[in-house]
Amino acid sequence: MIPLSHFMILSAVLFTIGVLGVVLRRNAIMIFMSVELMLNAVNLAFVALARSLHTLDGQVFVFFVMTVAAAEVAIGLALIVVLFRTKGTIDVDEVNLLKG
Amino acid sequence: MITIPPVHLAVVAPLLVVGVTALVVMLCDLVLPANERTWLAYLSLFGLIGAMLIGTQLWGRQTSTFSGMFLLDNFGLALTFIFLTVAVITVLLSVAYTSDRGLVRGEFYALILFAVMGMMIMATAGDLIVVFLGIELLSLPLYVLSGFARPARDSIEAALKYFLLGAFASGFLLYGIVLIFGATGSTNLLQIASVLTKGAHNSVMLYAGIALLLVGLGFKVSVVPFHQWTPDVYEGAPTAVTAFMVAGTKAAGFAVLLRILLVAVLPVRDVWLPAIAILAVVTMTVGNVTAIAQQNIKRMLAYSSIAHAGYILVAVAAGGAAGTSSAIFYLLIYAFMNLGAFAVVIAASRGGEERLAIRDYAGLARQRPVLAAIMAIFMLSLAGFPPTAGFVGKLTIFQAAVQNGLTWLAVIAVLNSVVSVFYYARVIVFMYMREPEGEPWPAVAGDGRRMLALALGICVAGVLLLGILPTPAYQAAQTALLNIL
């Protein structure tokens, strides 16, 4: 059996890749995909912990997280489409009207 | 054999009323002709006030349902009342605002109601996963509402920024939840507390989890250094939505913060207390100092809301009965002050055009004396002058801090509120001591005018009543303590 620490390390690595993606990428869709990667790192940790703690809770929570992520995709993509229609770009560096 | 745990729907009755109203509003939107949309606002008000009345029947009861997923206690109910009040005032503001700008779409009210439902879930949640669901149910409608003024570019920009950073913050929050789950073997707030009391937890995972949770919640309540989105989003979003976000989201975020810090992870208070105290100092100082330089009133109020988050963090750091009740009391006062100030910004606008630069308020006292006087009351209250509610609210927080041995924090908070007088007074100086520029701006006309006046009336009454006669509300806040085990 693969020990829990392996899963947790993989999950931490995935989460870090996601965070770096959000910080470094400038394309709204790529940023958004990086956020999804962060959520999936969480899902992996939930499932692994559920197995090692012998409780089903963690596995059930994954479904909640997936549902919320799906709702987020619907809204996020809609916003990105609206942005593209008005500005003709989805580069977040071009989104700079509000400053102070 | 699966046993289904008993479900007491009465515990979540206010929540259900708001949710059902939201669905009914959505359905009615389909059948109502476009010029009858004001009825949707009335329907929303009906549902919100109904939920409030049902809530009063539950006051004093203490129970939980859905296997401890939802808690019923005075703490949750008190905050529920604050959220519902915020929503009622927001709906009153929105009628004038949306019809002036051609934003009359039925889903506006439905989205507000769903967001309120999310706030109520956050305040009554007994489990970290329910907390997460509540935060998302609050955030997702708000992302849409921030972009509601499309195709206005600043509105879309605000929505996108809020969405990307909000989703990013949710990721941190969830990772914090999963680490706490790993460290304690549970996501139930009360069970986490009992595991921590026994000391049977994995410390490294737990502390990392609490830190990530604080980052995620810090984004939601705009605590420095996680505040960068706040001024941009508050400026770009439609003003009625900004008012709702400023008052409601912050209250909901602090409800969760209080419940998690003062119930679930209270046994390790020594670990998180320094972090909260430092965050409070940084948040107050950065918020107040940056607000001084602002020329746009919405941005100024955004930075002021950051500073106020710092004051409430002082109450969280103080903890205990005094800290909790002063935080609840301050959140109520804060809601009235900010909703009022934004209501004045809406009332001072003309058609689709708003007076957003502070210099636009020059001479308002001569053109619209009543409106200027009302704005002056809110500014004085935000700065914390007696006899307004802002003074009493700050006083209770500082007292709580001193009582719990955080005198240094109270001193810094007092110094900060002295700094804040500068930028609040600037608005008053402009209104009363400068000559008006250009021709007078007409008052808001039409259907929404009376509702806007009512909203302003409620906020002024709230600020003055809580300032002059704070005892009844404060005593109610004192009974609204968290039940700990």
Side-chain angles (χ1 to χ4, degrees), chain B residues 156-362:
Chain B
I156 295 168
E157 212 178 293
L160 191 81
K161 277 186 182 168
Y162 192 27
F163 169 73
L164 288 177
L165 286 172
F168 189 47
S170 297
F172 279 100
L173 183 88
L174 260 184
Y175 209 73
I177 291 176
V178 81
L179 288 183
I180 292 178
F181 173 62
T184 60
S186 173
T187 50
N188 184 295
L189 298 182
L190 299 178
Q191 268 174 34
I192 291 172
S194 72
V195 171
L196 294 188
T197 324
K198 284 181 209 135
H201 59 273
N202 178 334
S203 298
V204 179
M205 244 191 192
L206 178 77
Y207 300 154
I210 294 175
L212 286 170
L213 202 73
L214 284 181
V215 172
L217 287 173
F219 263 105
K220 301 286 172 194
V221 297
S222 52
V223 164
V224 178
F226 318 112
H227 68 292
Q228 281 96 346
W229 60 272
T230 315
D232 288 355
V233 173
Y234 284 7
E235 185 190 343
T239 309
V241 176
T242 309
F244 181 66
M245 282 198 279
V246 171
T249 317
K250 197 146 289 183
F254 273 107
V256 168
L257 209 56
L258 281 166
R259 216 191 261 282
I260 291 177
L261 290 181
L262 300 182
V263 175
V265 298
L266 187 67
V268 292
R269 181 160 184 258
D270 296 341
V271 178
W272 56 257
L273 184 62
I276 291 289
I278 292 167
L279 284 178
V281 172
V282 178
T283 307
M284 286 187 288
T285 315
V286 172
N288 278 319
V289 172
T290 326
I292 293 174
Q294 300 307 316
Q295 302 303 326
N296 178 304
I297 192 139
K298 276 167 94 178
R299 279 190 100 79
M300 192 268 285
L301 287 169
Y303 280 108
S304 122
S305 86
I306 294 171
H308 284 271
Y311 301 138
I312 304 169
L313 274 182
V314 173
V316 177
T324 316
S325 51
S326 65
I328 297 174
F329 189 51
Y330 199 78
L331 284 170
L332 176 67
I333 293 168
Y334 169 86
F336 280 131
M337 297 188 296
N338 275 288
L339 286 169
F342 280 103
V344 173
V345 173
I346 292 173
S349 64
R350 172 180 55 186
E353 213 183 324
E354 277 171 89
R355 298 183 168 197
L356 289 181
I358 293 177
R359 55 170 44 250
D360 286 344
Y361 286 75

Side-chain angles (χ1 to χ4, degrees), chain B residues 374-390:
Chain B
I374 291 174
M375 187 61 156
I377 291 174
F378 295 132
M379 289 297 131
L380 288 176
S381 180
L382 282 163
F385 276 99
T388 56

